[in-house]
Amino acid sequence: MLALIGGTGAGQPANLQVTRRLVVRTPYGDPSGALTFGEVAGRPVVFIARHGYGHTIPPHLINYRANIWALTQQPVTHIVAIASVGGIRTDMGPGTLVIPDQIIDYTWGRKQTMFEVGEHPVTHVDFTEPYSGDLRSALLDAARQSRVSVVDGGTYACTQGPRLETAAEICRIQRDGGDMVGMTGMPEAVLAREVGVPYATLAVVSNWAAGQQDSQRGVVFSAASGVFEAAMMRANSVLEALVLTGV
């Protein structure tokens, strides 16, 4: 069964036919909310809103460990995270869909591992390729099947939040090789790696990052113009095509 994690602006998928909800308790505390089970194109899917269903949990306070643990206690085979990001690279303007292949982590103080000192042996996971190559390929195939344009690859820079970045910080991220910026990509990706579930991100660009393109005078979100909403509709088409492949 495919698990979906929704982020800012990416609430419960419109094409998800809900069948039930389940409150889960975890060894790491409460997840962001109940798990929502349903069907997309007749296939089973489970969904969780990482910011909570009222969008009340800021990025640095999300219980990523509880969310991942709760999902993986279900018969989940793959996890796709839908993430809202700011575009840095010139081909990643508002409304663009991106399937990133790398991460730079600028966060601090977040619980980065399921294996706490004293409870488990020290565990070092290979994170050379932070996203599942097979799942990324499946997402790219799904985009082609649904005739939706996506950018193949790019580096997701994860910042602490909840404030947006300064123009100088975005310049630094750009020099480091970051192509888009978000606040929730880590430690979500590494926790999925620790529990052995293939994980990939479908990023939706909501705005130019600070100081880029038309944001020199301040960040302008695309939601007001309907660009982000249209992009989310395309993202849902990709996810539906992915589900139909049997992932």
Side-chain angles (χ1 to χ4, degrees):
M1 177 170 59
L2 178 67
L4 300 175
I5 303 176
T8 300
Q12 181 177 299
N15 47 359
L16 176 64
Q17 302 298 312
V18 177
T19 56
R20 66 187 176 98
R21 291 185 170 84
L22 177 67
V23 174
V24 179
R25 305 301 179 195
T26 88
Y28 306 99
D30 292 336
S32 296
L35 302 184
T36 299
F37 292 83
E39 293 182 348
V40 172
R43 305 289 180 88
V45 168
V46 59
F47 171 82
I48 189 168
R50 69 163 70 84
H51 294 284
Y53 289 92
H55 202 270
T56 56
I57 309 172
H60 65 300
L61 295 181
I62 292 169
N63 193 337
Y64 296 94
R65 295 193 301 179
N67 288 350
I68 294 295
W69 192 93
L71 289 173
T72 57
Q73 298 311 295
Q74 315 309 313
V76 165
T77 57
H78 301 79
I79 298 173
V80 172
I82 303 101
S84 172
V85 299
I88 299 176
R89 213 166 76 188
T90 56
D91 61 340
M92 294 183 183
T96 304
L97 302 184
V98 188
I99 302 173
D101 60 353
Q102 278 295 329
I103 295 174
I104 302 174
D105 186 8
Y106 297 96
T107 67
W108 48 269
R110 301 184 184 187
K111 297 289 189 179
Q112 294 272 347
T113 180
M114 297 284 194
F115 305 114
E116 294 284 43
V117 174
E119 297 179 7
H120 302 278
V122 175
T123 302
H124 303 285
V125 295
D126 184 354
F127 207 49
T128 306
E129 302 296 333
Y131 300 107
S132 164
D134 289 343
L135 187 52
R136 286 191 68 259
S137 295
L139 276 168
L140 290 167
D141 287 343
R144 284 189 285 269
Q145 291 169 20
S146 54
R147 299 183 179 180
V148 172
S149 176
V150 298
V151 176
D152 178 5
T155 297
Y156 178 120
C158 189
T159 58
Q160 180 73 355
R163 70 166 178 83
L164 298 175
E165 303 74 31
T166 68
E169 287 169 334
I170 294 299
C171 285
R172 173 202 173 190
I173 289 170
Q174 192 172 32
R175 290 193 300 271
D176 287 349
D179 299 308
M180 69 204 86
V181 61
M183 301 175 186
T184 57
M186 285 293 288
E188 201 172 81
V190 73
L191 294 171
R193 177 63 52 85
E194 282 192 343
V195 297
V197 178
Y199 173 99
T201 290
L202 178 58
V204 184
V205 181
S206 62
N207 56 277
W208 287 112
Q212 304 299 300
Q213 304 298 321
D214 61 354
S215 69
Q216 282 86 355
R217 296 182 180 178
V219 172
V220 177
F221 291 99
S222 60
S225 65
V227 172
F228 186 78
E229 182 179 351
M232 281 305 307
M233 291 178 64
R234 296 195 304 276
N236 284 336
S237 296
V238 173
L239 294 172
E240 184 169 325
L242 178 68
V243 170
L244 287 171
T245 68
V247 166

